[in-house]
Amino acid sequence: MTDLAAAAGSGADPVEQGINLPAPSMAGAKSLEDALAHRRSVREFAPGALTLAEVSQLMWAAQGVTAPERRTAPSAGATYPLEVYLVVGKIEGLGAGVYRYLPLPHRLEALADGDIRVPLAIAAVDQQWMSQAAMVVVFAAMFERTTVRYGQRAERYVHMETGHAAQNLLLQAAALGLGATPAGAFNDAEVSRLLHLPVGEVPLYFIPVGRASR
Ligand SMILES: Cc1cc2nc3c(=O)[nH]c(=O)nc-3n(C[C@H](O)[C@H](O)[C@H](O)COP(=O)(O)O)c2cc1C
């Protein structure tokens, strides 16, 4: 694995620095109605790790490719401004570190080694419960992809789209019996620094995910 800043700057080949996710299931045990009825914000987590199959399902729900140049979540003008980062603590078969989801190959690109859940929770106005989640999913956006087509109005479109993708992930977590909570309270500059976000990318939404403690 390389340092994220180096990887971002070098255009390093993600095929050599990541992991293929297993194919997502298209037939879950729970109905959509069941997931809607039982989704709840969960901030207490059991210590168990997530499986790669669960991570695959969550990433697919958030931004998976379902048709040529189309994804699970709608996008204004199909401009797809979102980037999904995983701040990993405890996932079977995956070292602690920072990863980025690549929708088309359904892969995780490894960006940096090391567990940064605690500093990330501190950057989120010290919401310490986040550091107990197996992983924290961070939605970020490259606004330029959408502003180039829609100008000023793109700002609201990107926020709307983030909500779509986040809700997909939250419902998938509920369907898998996992605990998750959306979180918008964090220091943008500090999160950008911790994740070494490229210039022009803005962090918008966190979703810590873990095994529900009850
Ligand atoms: C835009 C948004 C931002 C939120 N930010 C936080 C947050 O920073 N920390 C937190 O613990 N919960 C956060 N929440 C979760 C809400 O507190 C939670 O959804 C609300 O209490 C309703 O509970 P429920 O999700 O179980 O239905 C946020 C929710 C939304 C929609």
Side-chain angles (χ1 to χ4, degrees):
M1 237 188 275
T2 62
D3 176 82
L4 172 58
S10 69
D13 181 1
V15 172
E16 292 174 6
Q17 300 180 25
I19 184 163
N20 285 324
L21 290 170
S25 165
M26 296 296 137
K30 287 189 186 168
S31 68
L32 175 60
E33 292 79 5
D34 193 303
L36 283 164
H38 295 106
R39 183 211 60 79
R40 196 87 290 144
S41 290
V42 172
R43 302 177 185 81
E44 286 174 35
F45 302 102
L50 298 182
T51 66
L52 267 186
E54 288 166 334
V55 172
S56 163
Q57 205 67 42
L58 293 166
M59 291 301 103
W60 177 81
Q63 282 290 279
V65 172
T66 49
E69 296 182 35
R70 292 294 183 269
R71 299 187 186 174
T72 47
S75 175
T79 51
Y80 299 111
L82 301 183
E83 296 290 341
V84 185
Y85 293 88
L86 295 79
V87 173
V88 170
K90 286 179 292 183
I91 295 174
E92 287 172 11
L94 211 56
V98 180
Y99 299 79
R100 186 166 68 111
Y101 177 57
L102 304 177
L104 186 56
H106 195 54
R107 274 179 67 81
L108 296 183
E109 178 186 12
L111 297 174
D113 276 324
D115 188 350
I116 62 160
R117 287 175 299 167
V118 168
L120 195 72
I122 293 170
V125 296
D126 209 12
Q127 299 188 70
Q128 292 188 14
W129 59 272
M130 289 185 185
S131 65
Q132 302 305 309
M135 70 170 176
V136 180
V137 177
V138 177
F139 289 93
M142 185 68 83
F143 279 79
E144 178 66 17
R145 291 181 198 150
T146 309
T147 55
V148 75
R149 178 159 339 173
Y150 295 111
Q152 265 195 337
R153 198 157 184 85
E155 188 172 347
R156 71 168 70 184
Y157 289 167
V158 172
H159 291 146
M160 290 168 179
E161 183 169 335
T162 308
H164 290 301
Q167 183 72 357
N168 281 4
L169 195 157
L170 290 169
L171 290 174
Q172 182 69 78
L176 294 170
L178 299 172
T181 293
F186 51 82
N187 180 303
D188 293 359
E190 187 57 13
V191 172
S192 298
R193 191 188 67 77
L194 284 168
L195 296 181
H196 298 281
L197 292 186
V199 173
E201 240 178 70
V202 179
L204 291 177
Y205 218 5
F206 282 14
I207 304 187
V209 186
R211 302 226 155 274
S213 63
R214 56 197 146 82

